[in-house]
Every structure is written in C-alpha cells, then in structure tokens.
Amino acid sequence: MRLFVFAQEQPPIQVYTPKVYGADNQNWSISQSNEKFIYVANNKGLLEFNGANWKVYESPNKTIVRSVKVIRDVVYTGCYMEFGFWNRTDFGLLEYTSLSKKLQIEFLEDEEIWNIMDVDEFILFQSLKRIYVYNKNTEHINIIDSNSGVYKIFKVNDGVYFQKPKEGVFKITKGKPTLAFEDPIFYDNYLINIYNHLGELLFQTEDNGFFVWKEGRLVPWDISTNNLLLNDRIYCSTKLKDNTFILGSISNGIIHLSAEGDLLSKINQTDGLSNNTVLSVFEDIDNNLWLGLENGVNCINIKSPYRIYNDDSGEIGSVNTSIRYKNNLYIGTNQGLFYKPYNSNNKYKFIEGTQGAVWCLKNINDTLFCGHNSGTFIIEEGRAKLIVDVLGTWDIKTIPGNNNFLIQGNYSGLYILEKRNNTWVLRNKLDGFDISSRFFEFLTQTELFVSHEYKGVFKLKLNQLYNNVLSIIKDSSVTRDSKSGLIKYGDNILYAQSNGVFKYDVKANSFQKDTIYSRLYETNDYTSGKLQYTPETNKLWAFSKKGINYLGPNQLSNSLKLRTIDFPSIIRNDVSGYENIVYLTNKKYLVGITTGYVIIDLNRFENHKHKIFLNLISNSNLKKIDSKVIVDRFAYGEYSNNENSLSFHFNVPNYDKYALTEFQYKLEGIYDNWSEWSTGSEVFFENLPFGEYTFYVRSRIGDEISDNIEKYSFSIARPWYISNVALVLYVVFIALFSVLMHNIYKRYYKKQREKLLQKTQRELELKELENKEQLMRYNNEKLLQDIENKNRELSLSTMNLIKKNEFLNNLKKELKKVSGDKSLNNVIKIIDQNLNNSDDWQTFEEAFNNTDKDFIKKIKSLHPSLTNNDLRLCTYLRLNLSSKEIAPLLNITPRSVEVKRYRLRKKLDLPHEDSLTNYILEL
C-alpha cells in the first residue's frame, strides 16, 4: 500500500460527453439565456441544454460554430463566413436568421467569427481580421479592419478594446479604433483578457501571467502564483462575481485564483474533468462554472455546499469513520487508517499496521482510539499501537461513573478495558454473552442494551465488577430488523428500524414509537437505522433515500427542529448500514461514502427557488409512421380523433449535481390527481379518448416546489362516427328508420290482423264443419240406429213370418192327417190363404225397403227380367237367409227353394263358381 495518497476536495463536477449531448468534441464558447438555458458553440453546431435534455442545431452552412452570445433571449452565433441570430418559435424550437446575408457582408478569405459582444445597442462580431459592429436600432453595419489581425476583443467599463499584435491595445471610439495602451509586452504576448480589478487594470497574457497598468506602463502583478502561471499556457479566463479568477489552460485544466491572486484550487482531468484543454469558461446566473473543453462540456458547482474527495484509484477505499483530532483529519476505511493536516491539500498518509477495515475512531479523554478488524489501536503522532488483540472492535464507549474503565463491542461480545499506569489494557471479557455487539448503550451503570440486526435487542445486567453478565433479557417490544441501529441521544435510548424510531420508556420497561424522532425518515424512504450523533452541535442525523435529515435544538426553545439536506442516496453513494458523519468546524461536516467522502458546508445552503418550463409539445398518430408533429405551446390545441397521442417535454434549468429535480403532473379530463414525483422530464399520453383536457406540470428541488405551474389546454375531437354531422345524420336516419319501421310494423300488424281474422274465420268454419260433421255423425248414428231398429224389426218380422208359416204348415200337415172331416178342408184353405197372404209380403217389402231401399231398384235396373217372386227370393237372400229359412216364407219346400235359386242364377247369369248369396249381398 502507498504511504501517501493525493488529497484534494473538489466541488461537484457534472461531465457531459459528446455522446451525452450528441455532437462533436470541441466546444468554443458558452452563454446563457434569462431562462437559464445553456448555449454552447460546438464543431457540429449550436448546443442547447435546458437542464434535462440537450438539442443540437446545425449551423446554416454546416460549419463549426466558433462563438455564441445570448442577448435578451436572442441567441447570436458566429461561424465560418457567417453570423446571425436564433429566435425561439411558439413551437419551442430555435429558428435561424442570417444577419450577414441580410447585410450582404463580403467576408475575407476563410474568415471565422470567434467572439461576440454587446455594448448598448451595438453587437460586435469579431474575426481574426475584422470587427463587425452592428447597430440593432438602425440595422447598420460598420466594419473595423486590422492589417495585423485581431486576436480577441475585451469589454472593460463599457468600453471595447482589442489587441493588434505587435502594435498595442486599441479602443473602439465612435466606430473607429484608437490606440489606448502601448507597451513592449504587447508586442510579444497575446492577451487573454483585460479586467478592471479593485481599481486597477489587469492585463492577462497567455504565457506570462498578469500585468498591471501603472504610470503608463505594464508591470507584473505581484502575486503568489506567478511561478505557477509561467508553467501553464492560458487559453481563456473569466472573473467571477466574487472577484476571483478562473483560468483555463491548454494542458492542465483550470486554475482558481483568489481576488488577491492566491491559489484556491486546481482542477484537471485527474480531479474529474473530462479533458485538460479548456477552450472556454463561463459563469452562469447561479454561479456555476461551465467549461467548454477539447472533449466535452463540464459544469462545476463552484459555490456548492459540497466538496468531494473522490478516490477513483481505489487506494483509500470506502470511508467507514472519520474524526478531526489535534488539527489532523483521520479517515478510517475498509483498507486502513489515513490522515493529513486538516483543511490542506496535502497528501493523505497511511498509518502503518492498520491494514484492514477500520470501524470506529473515538476521542476519549484526549486519546484517539481506533476500532479495527484486527482489534483496538491507540493512535499517537501518526503511529498505531495495538492494545487489544481481539478481532473486530465495533465501538468503544465510556462506562458511566467509572473513568478507569472502557467497554468495547467486538465480533465475539463485550470487553472491558482498564487504565493502568496511564496505559489502557484489556481487563476481561464479559462472560455469559458472546453475541456480536456493534450497537450498545448504557441504561444505568450496570445495565445496558445491545442490538443485533438479525437477533434483536437484548437487555444485559452486569455485576459490579464488570466481569460477568448476570442476566440477559431479549426485548419483545421491538422486532429485529435489517440495518437497525441503537443510539443514545441526550438521556434517551433510541432504537431505529424501518418502521420508525422507538424510545425506551423506563416506567413501561419497553420501547415505544416516538413521533418526533420518527420524523427523521419516512418508512418508504428507509435505508438504514444507523443514526449518528454529533456532540459538538448536539444534532441527531439519519440517512434516507431522499437525503440526510437531522434533528437539533431550536434556537429559541428546547424543542427539536427537523431539517433536510437534499442529498439522495443514489447520488451520495454511501454504504447502507455503515453511514457516518462527523463535525469538522464552522458548520462543516464530513460524510463517508464508498469512493471517499463528502464535506457538507451548512453555511452555503440556499433555497432552490426555481421555475419549470414546458418547452416542447408533440402530437402523433400511432397508426402512422413519422406522424409526430411539434405544436404551438401557447395556442389552444384542437386535434382530430386519430391525433390522440401527445408527448410533453418539460425542464428545470437546475445544474446543481447534488440537487435532485423531480416532476409531478396531471391531465385534467382523465387523470385528475397529481402523479407521483419522478425524475423523468417527459411524459407520453397514448390513445386519449375524445374530450377536453388541461395538462399541468410542476417541479421540486428538495422540498422547494417550483414558483409556477405550467399548463397546456387542448381538445380531441370525437371520432367521425359520433361527430356533430354524424349525430345529425344518425338522427335523420333514426327518424326515417322509425317511420319506415312504423310503416313496416303497421303493414305487418295489418297482415297479422287479417291473418288472425282469416284464421278465426277458418276456425269458425272448421268449427261449423265440425259441428255439421258431428251433427251428421249424430244423424248417421241415429240413422244407423234406425236402420238397426228397422233391421231388428225386419228380422223380427221375418222371424215372426217364418214362425207363423211354419206353424201354419205344421198345422196344415196335421189337419191333412185327419181324414174324413170336410170342415177341415175349409180350415186348410184358410191356412193356405194365410200362407199366401200378400199383405204379409207387402208388410215385409215395406220394412225391407225402409232398411235397404235401394236394393230392389238396383237389382231391377241390373236385371229387368226378374219377376216379383224372383225379387222376393232376392230380398230373402239379401237378409242372408238359408234355403231352409226361405222355404216357409214362400210356402214351398227347401228343395223347391234350391230350384228357385238355380233358376235365379240362370236369370242373373252368374258363373257356376260364384256364390249367389255373396253376389246379392255385395250389390
């Protein structure tokens, strides 16, 4: 390890590389507008930086822009054979106007404009051969030629001077050059600048430093840095508002001189600049120093409350602890212990024997203790003496009421140190407790708390001899938490974790959440519970995502007041859980970080009053490629329905590296609540529905809200299908459709009514037909019943007739058997008369016709030759009577009936195989 390490605390430096700003390496001139926008003359064109985004405007003739000057928000530029100005349009972009073309300037061969200056109503454009004096009021141009050349022009007390090499310094009076200063030094030296400084005229040269004009000649300015200035060629310089000087060198960065010419600092590429060749220097409105370099643009926050020591080489490492002791500054890192004289640019010295992690540095009774990974050291005159050879000393504290004992927490528990013969030695380990004791605090002389982030908080009871732990109680009122911490502030023991800060209540014998101390950080901003106490200022410090917060007594009362340092964790780059801060002097504090440390000067803090700018609004149609259109920021926006995607670009010209700028927006009409704070400087709204909108945006730096809120109002038209014309057409269409549908329904219902009537009519007809059929069925049934009755009557009549004839025949036969009685013959005659009674036949025929009235007509029509006897036989056959049954009816024998049947077949002309009875029945 090196015994000496270079040490110089520098202000914050913002490095903008060509890749960041999107142009070429070299940057020749820098200026600033009233809006605080930065403008840079670059090889590729004009650069504009608004604090959020860079934009490149190419020069009109595609040449190198050598000079830029903002005069009342008009940006003047000069380049090769061209000069003019840029104005901002309502669309937020710069638009160029050529003065040289308007004035019809005839440039000399290869002429370039290197400087621009304004005096009253005049603007001067300087090349290496001429000075063009332009009157803005009359728009007249006056040209001042110089045969020997013009190196630079200078403005001193509202007068304009320039150097003619080998001749002297001339002043422009009434548009003409007059010799103002003549001295041999001007013949061999190029002037960088002329200053009216503390009542004297200072002339600064490239290689030979400063000279003062006294009694008509130049004499060297008697300052302590003359030899230093002789070693570096100066290319540019500026005098700051505090009367100090910034000199930009060709090969060694910048030199910062006090008003008396003493060296304040040197900053070069080793210290954080992106290049050692400084082509231009500029102090902005907020006292930031801008450097146009051979390779990039740098911004130095020279008035910043922060000074940074960056260990870019890694030779020191992460700073875990520090202390100011006997006018030396000691820093303990993960690589060892280093020191240097306080408030000097001397190199840090490494203290031999302290290789490894340093955990604490404590000044106890004017003795400097070093808690180290290897044990405990006492530091004396740059030497380290190991007094406790026990691994891992986290912290060392005094024991209340006992000046001869100290207690230290180690990886393996708690140990007691004793002062013997004016020397501190290890006395003993506290038996019974072997837990790593990084955080511990005494409650009484024999009671203390120990906090372990993974095991919790323990309350220990010690014996009077401090060699044994009598009891161990794990506190249940708080939970273990990652990166938690324990500290004593005043008479209060505080336990800090992600849920807040808890104060021990002796009466309740538990930790209670304290609302005042919990204000040190919000739960969602928690990074570590390691609180820090600076006894010199009686402040309690906490580190969070948003910054560093501290509580301290109010000047007018004993109440605690919370203050915030806007130093976010992503910027300060500390080791979470190992944060550390110590007091130095005059409100200056040192904060250890992973790459060194930061010195914070509370005297330099100011409120970040600022304004936000809505600098660019674009509209696009996502369905079309390259449809992005930049719109007027000040006019009310009216967009068609497919132009419903808008992008808003906003910025705050804040160039403080450690002051985080955040933005908040809302879009009334769809998102009426403010968004979460974020660092994004643009927002894109995609596929917005139709309607009226107003976009609002504001910003904050730390806790300071912007003085203004920017807004933009616009509307998105309805889609064509619900536009006013479309709505009218819809109304007309609906009306016509309603009329049409009314007519259609009218016709439909008319047809339905007709169909219903027809259906009803058919149903009535069917019903009537059904009734008729029913009546017919009834009549038929009645007729059938009548026929059956007639048939029964006919059958009964026939049977009666058959029985009667059979009876008469039988009676006749019996009577014939009786012989000899003539009177019987009369009876037999009577019987024969009854058997041949035509009345019976007529009665039968009438009954038969009633039953089957068409039969006789039909058979007569078919067979007209049939006799009455034949017809009589046919009727009996129609009744399906057998020959035996027919015989009595005809008063003949069955045999005779068969003969009659045979004869009838002949008359009917029936084939032999056909049945006579069936034929008769089928008629």
Side-chain angles (χ1 to χ4, degrees), residues 341-352:
Y342 175 67
N343 207 22
S344 74
N345 289 329
N346 292 6
K347 297 178 180 179
Y348 273 108
K349 295 181 182 180
F350 173 70
I351 297 178
E352 289 290 340

Side-chain angles (χ1 to χ4, degrees), residues 82-137:
E82 173 68 40
F83 62 82
F85 61 88
W86 305 76
N87 277 321
R88 190 175 303 282
T89 67
D90 291 339
F91 298 93
L93 301 176
L94 294 180
E95 189 174 69
Y96 183 74
T97 301
S98 174
L99 276 177
S100 55
K101 289 182 179 178
K102 181 179 179 181
L103 299 171
Q104 298 180 347
I105 301 295
E106 294 182 3
F107 288 100
L108 301 177
E109 187 69 24
D110 293 333
E111 196 172 2
E112 293 183 276
I113 304 300
W114 285 88
N115 286 293
I116 303 173
M117 182 182 295
D118 69 306
V119 179
D120 299 328
E121 72 270 21
F122 297 98
I123 301 175
L124 288 75
F125 300 90
Q126 175 243 319
S127 72
L128 297 180
K129 300 174 183 178
R130 285 176 169 178
I131 299 175
Y132 299 88
V133 182
Y134 172 66
N135 189 317
K136 293 187 295 181
N137 296 336

Side-chain angles (χ1 to χ4, degrees), residues 247-291:
L247 314 182
S249 71
I250 289 293
S251 58
N252 200 19
I254 63 168
I255 302 169
H256 190 188
L257 302 182
S258 68
E260 293 75 28
D262 299 322
L263 179 65
L264 294 176
S265 65
K266 289 182 65 177
I267 304 176
N268 54 33
Q269 194 165 348
T270 304
D271 302 310
L273 296 186
S274 57
N275 188 261
N276 277 332
T277 301
V278 183
L279 303 177
S280 57
V281 293
F282 175 78
E283 183 184 20
D284 70 12
I285 296 171
D286 297 316
N287 306 119
N288 298 305
L289 182 64
W290 291 84
L291 307 180

